[in-house]
Amino acid sequence: MRARLVAAATGVALVAAGCGAAETTGSADAGITIFNTEPENPLVPGNTTETGGSRVLDPLFTGLVEYRGEDAQPANAMAESIETTDSKVFTVKIKQGWKFHDGSPVTAKSFVDAWNWTAYGPNATQGATFFSQIQGYQDVHPADPDGPDGPEKAPTPTTDAMSGLVVVDDHTFTITLSEAFSVFPVTVGYEVFAPLPEAFFKDRAAFEAAPIGNGPFKFVSRQPGAEIKLTRYDDYQGSDKATFKDLTLKVYQSRESAYADLVANNLDFLEELPPNALAGKKYESDLGDRVVQRETLNNQTIAFPFYLKPYDNVDLRRAISMAINREEITQRIFEGTRKPADGWVHPLMKGYTPGQCGEYCTYNPEKAKESFQKSGYTGEILLLSNTDGGHQEWAEAVANSIKNTLGVETRFVPSTSFGEFRQKVNAHEMTGMYRSGWIADYPSIQNWLSPLFRTGASSNDGLYSNPAFDAKIAEADKATSEDEAIKLYLEAERIVAQDMPSIPLWTQNTIAGKSNRLKVANLDPFRTLDVPSVEVG
């Protein structure tokens, strides 16, 4: 993630730091290689909401706002200013002289057209609901009467442009929300809000084959399952220019193989070390002063498919959560680099309150058995996860904890590719509960709740729905003060705690590693490479 400053943004507190490495040394022509998983979809900002794609889009695109590598606070990027007097109508002025990688200018229309395209229902993008608070969203994205899996189709939109977006001139546009939302200026640093060039609308297939961004790096090539190559865009107008030339994102089937390459200096940066490197703190002897670490804005959870019996049973969900010995697993598998979670909001977020999950996030075999018996369930429990992100060890440990505590057959079902796994999650094809870790999109307590649990939200993959939660989130979004908003978001979190649509497992102090070719390589708060910090030695 990169940096700058936002006018009229709600204050949201945090902490932070970034990463990289080189094929040649001590030169602006050096190149670095970093770990990645295979992106789920073609690299279009509005249709990318997972980590493998986000790691590529972040250096390819620059939005109105970005988040500072040191503390995750919002800062102006392409925005000259974002002004409002009522948190409902915003006037955005963008900086002049910026160009896309094909030489075309970045204008106010580049943002408005991109946002309208992403929100337009028939385009079926993953990021559409991030625009749901803009006036006219319901006209471009009519509600599906029986949900995404039902036989009925959503009505045809009456227009392809939201009335709340108006281009004033080449460098100014206005945003009118359906209701006040004080957090809105903070959200627009998320990649789904990136601008798109005219070339995208003229030939989408050509764009997907070779994406055209406006960020510090431009696209070179992609070999699916192997690597994505980017190179520095020397006409970039931002202040966060890279000091090295080439950035290659190497796709690995497992973190273990990536770690072996890191130790051998054949990979320049791995943002999270696998459990086999953490065991006995092996990484300390393997890497020495090449270790990079910090607390990051991510948590590990298990989600439930509400479209699948028996996981729509709240007593079963509570039983499973109370049957997981988080303390033992974080110590045995992660050497204490993970902290058992006690709620859904991350401890680094302003507004975090300990113990929101209450007894349901506490290991308690007796109560777990009581709740399990009350559920009436007698079958097998499945836990699905991809294994290319270092998840197999802990997933097996969680399955064993549930099995041993409840006395029910519990089985871990692996999927080798993160991209393949996410496609099945988004297609609602899960055959059991599944891994659903979360990394913050933007620094707000709202981001840990609304995108995950609001009915129809972009990352509500399990199709959970509770009108009381939706109403509380809507009330919090409209709050006129930050303190009042936080109070209401915490009330929404307590509603989630009663329903347990997902199980909070742990947060983490992320242990990363760099090659000996890098003099400096930091982690940012979002557990990714802080590109501007990289110094090749």
Side-chain angles (χ1 to χ4, degrees):
M1 295 276 174
R2 304 187 300 278
R4 291 158 251 154
L5 228 171
V6 76
T10 303
V12 210
L14 276 148
V15 251
C19 52
E23 292 161 355
T24 58
T25 60
S27 160
D29 292 329
I32 75 168
T33 59
I34 68 172
F35 168 86
N36 203 28
T37 51
E38 182 67 21
E40 176 189 356
N41 294 322
L43 299 168
V44 178
N47 198 33
T48 301
T49 57
E50 48 78 32
T51 308
S54 181
R55 283 198 199 99
V56 185
L57 291 176
D58 188 53
L60 273 179
F61 287 88
T62 295
L64 296 173
V65 167
E66 289 180 344
Y67 308 115
R68 295 191 308 223
E70 67 273 16
D71 61 4
Q73 286 300 290
N76 278 351
M78 272 219 65
E80 187 71 52
S81 62
I82 302 175
E83 298 177 346
T84 185
T85 57
D86 58 4
S87 293
K88 181 178 180 180
V89 179
F90 299 84
T91 299
V92 179
K93 292 186 180 297
I94 66 169
K95 294 173 181 175
Q96 301 187 28
W98 283 59
K99 293 183 178 180
F100 287 104
H101 300 151
D102 63 356
S104 61
V106 184
T107 66
K109 189 173 183 293
S110 306
F111 285 93
V112 169
D113 286 353
W115 295 10
N116 277 324
W117 180 87
T118 301
Y120 188 60
N123 290 331
T125 66
Q126 292 183 2
T129 60
F130 282 94
F131 300 90
S132 62
Q133 281 148 318
I134 296 177
Q135 191 176 84
Y137 175 80
Q138 70 280 0
D139 298 323
V140 302
H141 199 113
D144 190 332
D146 56 0
D149 293 334
E152 292 187 55
K153 291 185 177 181
T156 302
T158 56
T159 179
D160 60 1
M162 291 179 281
S163 59
L165 296 179
V166 177
V167 175
V168 177
D169 57 43
D170 280 353
H171 302 101
T172 311
F173 68 101
T174 59
I175 306 164
T176 301
L177 306 182
S178 53
E179 298 193 76
F181 179 33
S182 60
V183 178
F184 185 75
V186 179
T187 72
V188 296
Y190 185 38
E191 280 116 2
V192 299
F193 291 95
L196 287 171
E198 288 185 9
F200 170 82
F201 302 98
K202 290 178 180 177
D203 192 338
R204 178 178 166 185
F207 179 95
E208 291 180 350
I212 301 164
N214 67 321
F217 283 84
K218 60 183 180 180
F219 181 84
V220 175
S221 63
R222 177 178 182 178
Q223 291 180 284
E227 65 182 24
I228 297 171
K229 289 189 173 184
L230 312 178
T231 192
R232 188 177 60 225
Y233 178 50
D234 288 331
D235 290 332
Y236 180 62
Q237 298 295 305
S239 60
D240 55 333
K241 295 179 180 179
T243 59
F244 58 92
K245 188 173 188 295
D246 297 316
L247 175 62
T248 300
L249 298 99
K250 296 180 67 174
V251 175
Y252 286 87
Q253 294 305 309
S254 73
R255 285 188 185 274
E256 288 74 15
S257 57
Y259 180 70
D261 273 1
L262 178 72
V263 172
N265 289 299
N266 294 323
L267 177 69
D268 290 323
F269 193 83
L270 176 59
E271 92 295 341
E272 182 182 4
L273 303 187
N276 71 327
L278 300 177
K281 297 188 176 181
K282 185 175 181 289
Y283 64 90
E284 291 184 348
S285 58
D286 285 345
L287 299 176
D289 62 3
R290 294 196 279 142
V291 174
V292 179
Q293 61 180 301
R294 69 165 304 148
E295 277 198 275
T296 51
L297 287 168
N298 59 294
N299 63 11
Q300 194 63 254
T301 61
I302 292 173
F304 294 98
F306 278 70
Y307 50 83
L308 184 71
K309 292 186 179 297
Y311 301 102
D312 59 351
N313 183 322
V314 67
D315 292 307
L316 178 62
R317 298 195 299 272
R318 291 170 178 172
I320 290 171
S321 182
M322 292 187 287
I324 299 171
N325 193 334
R326 295 165 179 78
E327 189 66 44
E328 179 184 272
I329 293 170
T330 53
Q331 291 298 325
R332 182 164 58 84
I333 304 291
F334 297 113
E335 293 285 334
T337 61
R338 308 296 194 268
K339 295 179 181 177
D342 59 1
W344 288 264
V345 174
H346 196 281
L348 294 181
M349 292 309 312
K350 185 173 184 180
Y352 161 77
T353 298
Q356 286 281 93
C357 185
E359 65 177 347
Y360 299 132
C361 284
T362 303
Y363 179 57
N364 190 324
E366 298 241 343
K367 286 192 174 181
K369 289 173 185 174
E370 287 176 13
S371 190
F372 183 63
Q373 188 172 24
K374 187 178 177 183
S375 75
Y377 183 63
T378 57
E380 182 181 47
I381 294 173
L382 301 181
L383 171 57
L384 288 70
S385 174
N386 59 301
T387 57
D388 55 347
H391 301 295
Q392 183 161 343
E393 289 90 343
W394 72 255
E396 289 176 340
V398 165
N400 285 333
S401 185
I402 297 167
K403 177 180 179 179
N404 295 336
T405 302
L406 300 180
V408 60
E409 184 60 34
T410 306
R411 186 161 53 89
F412 168 58
V413 181
S415 174
T416 55
S417 163
F418 178 66
E420 171 193 314
F421 177 70
R422 284 301 308 171
Q423 286 172 356
K424 289 182 178 178
V425 169
N426 284 314
H428 308 125
E429 294 175 355
M430 290 292 98
T431 57
M433 60 184 188
Y434 55 95
R435 185 189 78 80
S436 59
W438 185 250
I439 301 175
D441 301 317
Y442 45 87
S444 167
I445 184 175
Q446 188 258 10
N447 187 237
W448 299 89
L449 299 167
S450 184
L452 290 161
F453 305 119
R454 183 168 44 84
T455 302
S458 61
S459 295
N460 187 351
D461 304 319
L463 305 184
Y464 164 74
S465 181
N466 184 331
F469 174 84
D470 295 345
K472 189 61 66 175
I473 284 290
E475 186 183 358
D477 286 349
K478 291 181 286 186
T480 55
S481 74
E482 185 182 20
D483 287 345
E484 178 64 16
I486 286 173
K487 174 178 172 289
L488 294 167
Y489 286 129
L490 290 172
E491 289 179 13
E493 186 182 18
R494 287 193 287 276
I495 293 172
V496 171
Q498 290 304 305
D499 288 350
M500 294 298 291
S502 72
I503 296 174
L505 294 176
W506 43 75
T507 58
Q508 71 185 71
N509 174 44
T510 300
I511 310 292
K514 63 185 178 71
S515 76
N516 61 12
R517 289 185 289 271
L518 297 186
K519 289 168 61 178
V520 178
N522 297 322
L523 274 171
D524 72 12
F526 301 90
R527 203 196 67 180
T528 192
L529 170 66
D530 183 27
V531 173
S533 78
V534 174
E535 293 181 24
V536 178

